[in-house]
Amino acid sequence: MKTIIILLLISLFSLANVRGQELTELNSILMRSTFKIVGAKGEMGTVFILVKKTRPNSEYAYYILVTAKHLLDEIKSEDAT
C-alpha cells in the first residue's frame, strides 16, 4: 500500500510542464518542496520532491518523491499523511 501511495503521488505530479518557470534560489526551492510525513502511530519524517526533465532540452518533466527508506520501514500502517 505504501508503494501505491507513493506511485499515486508521483503520478499526480508526472509530466509537469516546466515552461516559464522563474529562476529561484536553491534554498527557496528546497523549502517549498519539503513536506512532513506522519504515520498512524506518530512516526514522522520528511519527504521532498525533485523535478527531472523527460529529455535534455525538453519542456516537460516529472516529479520524484524522495524520503529515507527507514522512515517507510518504521511506518507499519498502510496509510500516512
Side-chain angles (χ1 to χ4, degrees):
M1 184 66 169
K2 293 176 197 174
T3 304
I4 293 171
I5 292 171
I6 291 171
L7 291 174
L8 286 173
L9 287 171
I10 292 170
S11 66
L12 287 174
F13 298 112
S14 66
L15 297 176
N17 186 344
V18 295
R19 190 180 334 173
Q21 286 186 345
E22 296 180 17
L23 293 176
T24 309
E25 292 181 20
L26 180 59
N27 60 346
S28 297
I29 293 169
L30 289 173
M31 288 296 293
R32 282 185 250 145
S33 66
T34 303
F35 305 92
K36 181 167 76 170
I37 184 171
V38 180
K41 294 184 179 178
E43 314 90 351
M44 73 174 75
T46 56
V47 299
F48 62 94
I49 299 173
L50 297 176
V51 178
K52 180 168 174 46
K53 288 189 175 187
T54 55
R55 284 178 252 116
N57 302 322
S58 174
E59 295 178 349
Y60 296 96
Y62 57 92
Y63 290 90
I64 303 168
L65 182 70
V66 180
T67 191
K69 180 184 180 303
H70 72 86
L71 174 62
L72 295 179
D73 290 342
E74 289 174 8
I75 298 175
K76 302 293 183 194
S77 65
E78 294 293 322
D79 299 315
T81 57

Short mmCIF file of all heavy atoms in Angstrom, two decimals, residues 35-69:
data_model
loop_
_atom_site.label_atom_id
_atom_site.label_comp_id
_atom_site.label_asym_id
_atom_site.label_seq_id
_atom_site.Cartn_x
_atom_site.Cartn_y
_atom_site.Cartn_z
N PHE A 35 8.14 18.32 2.70
CA PHE A 35 6.89 18.10 3.41
C PHE A 35 7.10 17.12 4.55
O PHE A 35 7.98 16.27 4.50
CB PHE A 35 5.82 17.53 2.45
CG PHE A 35 5.61 18.39 1.25
CD1 PHE A 35 6.32 18.16 0.08
CD2 PHE A 35 4.72 19.45 1.30
CE1 PHE A 35 6.13 18.96 -1.03
CE2 PHE A 35 4.52 20.25 0.19
CZ PHE A 35 5.24 20.01 -0.98
N LYS A 36 6.25 17.21 5.57
CA LYS A 36 6.29 16.27 6.70
C LYS A 36 5.37 15.10 6.38
O LYS A 36 4.29 15.28 5.84
CB LYS A 36 5.83 16.97 7.98
CG LYS A 36 5.88 16.06 9.21
CD LYS A 36 5.74 16.83 10.50
CE LYS A 36 4.33 17.26 10.76
NZ LYS A 36 4.13 17.79 12.12
N ILE A 37 5.83 13.90 6.72
CA ILE A 37 5.01 12.69 6.57
C ILE A 37 4.87 12.07 7.96
O ILE A 37 5.83 11.99 8.71
CB ILE A 37 5.62 11.70 5.56
CG1 ILE A 37 4.71 10.50 5.34
CG2 ILE A 37 7.02 11.28 5.95
CD1 ILE A 37 5.14 9.59 4.21
N VAL A 38 3.63 11.69 8.31
CA VAL A 38 3.35 11.14 9.64
C VAL A 38 2.59 9.83 9.49
O VAL A 38 1.58 9.78 8.78
CB VAL A 38 2.51 12.13 10.48
CG1 VAL A 38 2.23 11.56 11.86
CG2 VAL A 38 3.20 13.47 10.58
N GLY A 39 3.07 8.80 10.17
CA GLY A 39 2.39 7.51 10.17
C GLY A 39 1.26 7.49 11.17
O GLY A 39 1.10 8.40 12.00
N ALA A 40 0.48 6.40 11.16
CA ALA A 40 -0.69 6.27 12.04
C ALA A 40 -0.32 6.25 13.51
O ALA A 40 -1.08 6.67 14.37
CB ALA A 40 -1.47 5.01 11.68
N LYS A 41 0.89 5.77 13.85
CA LYS A 41 1.31 5.68 15.25
C LYS A 41 2.26 6.81 15.63
O LYS A 41 2.95 6.72 16.64
CB LYS A 41 1.96 4.34 15.51
CG LYS A 41 1.00 3.18 15.39
CD LYS A 41 1.67 1.87 15.74
CE LYS A 41 0.65 0.74 15.63
NZ LYS A 41 1.28 -0.54 15.90
N GLY A 42 2.30 7.86 14.85
CA GLY A 42 3.11 9.02 15.19
C GLY A 42 4.51 9.04 14.61
O GLY A 42 5.27 9.98 14.83
N GLU A 43 4.89 8.01 13.85
CA GLU A 43 6.20 8.03 13.20
C GLU A 43 6.22 9.21 12.23
O GLU A 43 5.27 9.44 11.52
CB GLU A 43 6.45 6.74 12.41
CG GLU A 43 6.12 5.46 13.09
CD GLU A 43 4.68 5.01 12.87
OE1 GLU A 43 3.87 5.74 12.31
OE2 GLU A 43 4.39 3.90 13.28
N MET A 44 7.32 9.96 12.24
CA MET A 44 7.33 11.10 11.33
C MET A 44 8.71 11.34 10.74
O MET A 44 9.72 10.92 11.29
CB MET A 44 6.80 12.36 11.99
CG MET A 44 7.70 13.01 13.00
SD MET A 44 7.03 14.56 13.59
CE MET A 44 5.75 14.00 14.68
N GLY A 45 8.70 11.98 9.61
CA GLY A 45 9.93 12.32 8.90
C GLY A 45 9.59 13.32 7.81
O GLY A 45 8.51 13.92 7.83
N THR A 46 10.49 13.48 6.89
CA THR A 46 10.26 14.43 5.80
C THR A 46 10.41 13.75 4.45
O THR A 46 11.08 12.72 4.32
CB THR A 46 11.24 15.61 5.86
OG1 THR A 46 12.58 15.11 5.84
CG2 THR A 46 11.03 16.45 7.10
N VAL A 47 9.76 14.32 3.48
CA VAL A 47 9.92 13.92 2.09
C VAL A 47 10.17 15.19 1.30
O VAL A 47 9.79 16.28 1.73
CB VAL A 47 8.67 13.19 1.54
CG1 VAL A 47 8.40 11.92 2.32
CG2 VAL A 47 7.44 14.07 1.54
N PHE A 48 10.83 15.07 0.17
CA PHE A 48 10.94 16.22 -0.71
C PHE A 48 10.76 15.76 -2.14
O PHE A 48 10.84 14.58 -2.44
CB PHE A 48 12.25 16.99 -0.50
CG PHE A 48 13.51 16.22 -0.78
CD1 PHE A 48 14.11 16.28 -2.03
CD2 PHE A 48 14.08 15.45 0.20
CE1 PHE A 48 15.27 15.58 -2.28
CE2 PHE A 48 15.26 14.75 -0.03
CZ PHE A 48 15.85 14.82 -1.29
N ILE A 49 10.47 16.71 -2.99
CA ILE A 49 10.15 16.41 -4.38
C ILE A 49 11.22 17.01 -5.28
O ILE A 49 11.57 18.19 -5.13
CB ILE A 49 8.76 16.97 -4.74
CG1 ILE A 49 7.71 16.32 -3.86
CG2 ILE A 49 8.46 16.75 -6.21
CD1 ILE A 49 6.33 16.90 -3.99
N LEU A 50 11.74 16.20 -6.19
CA LEU A 50 12.69 16.65 -7.19
C LEU A 50 11.99 16.67 -8.54
O LEU A 50 11.04 15.93 -8.77
CB LEU A 50 13.88 15.70 -7.27
CG LEU A 50 14.76 15.57 -6.04
CD1 LEU A 50 15.82 14.51 -6.28
CD2 LEU A 50 15.41 16.90 -5.72
N VAL A 51 12.49 17.50 -9.44
CA VAL A 51 11.96 17.56 -10.80
C VAL A 51 13.03 17.06 -11.74
O VAL A 51 14.18 17.48 -11.67
CB VAL A 51 11.56 18.99 -11.17
CG1 VAL A 51 11.05 19.05 -12.61
CG2 VAL A 51 10.52 19.53 -10.22
N LYS A 52 12.66 16.13 -12.63
CA LYS A 52 13.59 15.61 -13.62
C LYS A 52 12.97 15.79 -15.00
O LYS A 52 11.85 15.35 -15.24
CB LYS A 52 13.90 14.14 -13.36
CG LYS A 52 14.86 13.54 -14.36
CD LYS A 52 15.35 12.20 -13.89
CE LYS A 52 16.20 11.47 -14.89
NZ LYS A 52 17.24 12.21 -15.55
N LYS A 53 13.71 16.42 -15.88
CA LYS A 53 13.20 16.59 -17.25
C LYS A 53 13.10 15.24 -17.93
O LYS A 53 13.90 14.35 -17.70
CB LYS A 53 14.11 17.52 -18.04
CG LYS A 53 14.00 18.96 -17.61
CD LYS A 53 14.74 19.86 -18.56
CE LYS A 53 14.49 21.31 -18.17
NZ LYS A 53 15.04 22.22 -19.15
N THR A 54 12.10 15.11 -18.81
CA THR A 54 11.91 13.84 -19.52
C THR A 54 13.06 13.58 -20.49
O THR A 54 13.45 12.45 -20.69
CB THR A 54 10.58 13.82 -20.28
OG1 THR A 54 10.52 14.96 -21.14
CG2 THR A 54 9.41 13.83 -19.31
N ARG A 55 13.58 14.63 -21.10
CA ARG A 55 14.73 14.56 -22.01
C ARG A 55 15.50 15.86 -21.88
O ARG A 55 14.92 16.88 -21.53
CB ARG A 55 14.25 14.43 -23.46
CG ARG A 55 13.77 13.05 -23.82
CD ARG A 55 13.27 13.01 -25.26
NE ARG A 55 11.82 12.91 -25.21
CZ ARG A 55 10.96 13.81 -25.66
NH1 ARG A 55 11.39 14.89 -26.26
NH2 ARG A 55 9.68 13.64 -25.55
N PRO A 56 16.79 15.85 -22.20
CA PRO A 56 17.51 17.13 -22.21
C PRO A 56 16.83 18.11 -23.16
O PRO A 56 16.31 17.72 -24.21
CB PRO A 56 18.90 16.76 -22.72
CG PRO A 56 19.05 15.30 -22.43
CD PRO A 56 17.65 14.73 -22.53
N ASN A 57 16.77 19.36 -22.78
CA ASN A 57 16.13 20.41 -23.58
C ASN A 57 14.63 20.23 -23.74
O ASN A 57 14.02 20.83 -24.61
CB ASN A 57 16.79 20.54 -24.96
CG ASN A 57 18.27 20.83 -24.86
OD1 ASN A 57 18.71 21.56 -23.98
ND2 ASN A 57 19.05 20.22 -25.73
N SER A 58 14.01 19.40 -22.93
CA SER A 58 12.57 19.18 -23.01
C SER A 58 11.85 20.24 -22.18
O SER A 58 12.38 20.75 -21.20
CB SER A 58 12.23 17.79 -22.47
OG SER A 58 10.83 17.62 -22.41
N GLU A 59 10.62 20.53 -22.56
CA GLU A 59 9.78 21.45 -21.79
C GLU A 59 9.02 20.70 -20.69
O GLU A 59 8.39 21.32 -19.86
CB GLU A 59 8.78 22.14 -22.70
CG GLU A 59 9.42 23.03 -23.74
CD GLU A 59 8.38 23.65 -24.65
OE1 GLU A 59 7.20 23.24 -24.62
OE2 GLU A 59 8.75 24.55 -25.41
N TYR A 60 9.06 19.39 -20.71
CA TYR A 60 8.29 18.59 -19.78
C TYR A 60 9.20 17.86 -18.80
O TYR A 60 10.33 17.52 -19.12
CB TYR A 60 7.42 17.58 -20.53
CG TYR A 60 6.39 18.28 -21.39
CD1 TYR A 60 6.63 18.52 -22.73
CD2 TYR A 60 5.21 18.73 -20.84
CE1 TYR A 60 5.70 19.19 -23.52
CE2 TYR A 60 4.27 19.40 -21.61
CZ TYR A 60 4.53 19.62 -22.95
OH TYR A 60 3.61 20.29 -23.69
N ALA A 61 8.65 17.61 -17.61
CA ALA A 61 9.41 16.92 -16.57
C ALA A 61 8.46 16.09 -15.73
O ALA A 61 7.25 16.20 -15.86
CB ALA A 61 10.14 17.93 -15.70
N TYR A 62 9.02 15.27 -14.87
CA TYR A 62 8.21 14.53 -13.92
C TYR A 62 8.79 14.74 -12.53
O TYR A 62 9.95 15.08 -12.37
CB TYR A 62 8.09 13.04 -14.27
CG TYR A 62 9.39 12.30 -14.41
CD1 TYR A 62 9.94 11.64 -13.32
CD2 TYR A 62 10.05 12.23 -15.63
CE1 TYR A 62 11.13 10.96 -13.44
CE2 TYR A 62 11.24 11.54 -15.76
CZ TYR A 62 11.77 10.90 -14.66
OH TYR A 62 12.95 10.23 -14.78
N TYR A 63 7.94 14.57 -11.54
CA TYR A 63 8.33 14.77 -10.15
C TYR A 63 8.71 13.44 -9.51
O TYR A 63 8.08 12.41 -9.79
CB TYR A 63 7.19 15.41 -9.36
CG TYR A 63 6.92 16.84 -9.74
CD1 TYR A 63 6.02 17.16 -10.74
CD2 TYR A 63 7.59 17.86 -9.09
CE1 TYR A 63 5.79 18.47 -11.08
CE2 TYR A 63 7.36 19.18 -9.43
CZ TYR A 63 6.45 19.48 -10.42
OH TYR A 63 6.23 20.78 -10.75
N ILE A 64 9.71 13.47 -8.64
CA ILE A 64 10.16 12.29 -7.91
C ILE A 64 10.03 12.59 -6.42
O ILE A 64 10.56 13.58 -5.94
CB ILE A 64 11.63 11.97 -8.25
CG1 ILE A 64 11.78 11.76 -9.76
CG2 ILE A 64 12.10 10.75 -7.47
CD1 ILE A 64 13.21 11.71 -10.22
N LEU A 65 9.32 11.72 -5.71
CA LEU A 65 9.18 11.85 -4.26
C LEU A 65 10.34 11.11 -3.60
O LEU A 65 10.56 9.94 -3.86
CB LEU A 65 7.85 11.24 -3.82
CG LEU A 65 7.52 11.33 -2.33
CD1 LEU A 65 7.24 12.78 -1.95
CD2 LEU A 65 6.33 10.45 -2.01
N VAL A 66 11.09 11.79 -2.72
CA VAL A 66 12.28 11.22 -2.10
C VAL A 66 12.12 11.25 -0.58
O VAL A 66 11.74 12.26 -0.01
CB VAL A 66 13.55 12.03 -2.49
CG1 VAL A 66 14.79 11.45 -1.85
CG2 VAL A 66 13.69 12.11 -4.00
N THR A 67 12.42 10.11 0.05
CA THR A 67 12.45 10.02 1.51
C THR A 67 13.41 8.91 1.91
O THR A 67 13.90 8.16 1.07
CB THR A 67 11.05 9.79 2.11
OG1 THR A 67 11.11 9.97 3.51
CG2 THR A 67 10.51 8.42 1.78
N ALA A 68 13.68 8.79 3.20
CA ALA A 68 14.57 7.75 3.71
C ALA A 68 13.84 6.41 3.78
O ALA A 68 12.68 6.35 4.19
CB ALA A 68 15.09 8.14 5.09
N LYS A 69 14.52 5.34 3.41
CA LYS A 69 13.93 4.01 3.45
C LYS A 69 13.51 3.63 4.86
O LYS A 69 12.45 3.04 5.07
CB LYS A 69 14.93 2.99 2.91
CG LYS A 69 14.41 1.56 2.92
CD LYS A 69 15.49 0.59 2.46
CE LYS A 69 15.02 -0.83 2.47
NZ LYS A 69 14.53 -1.33 3.71
#
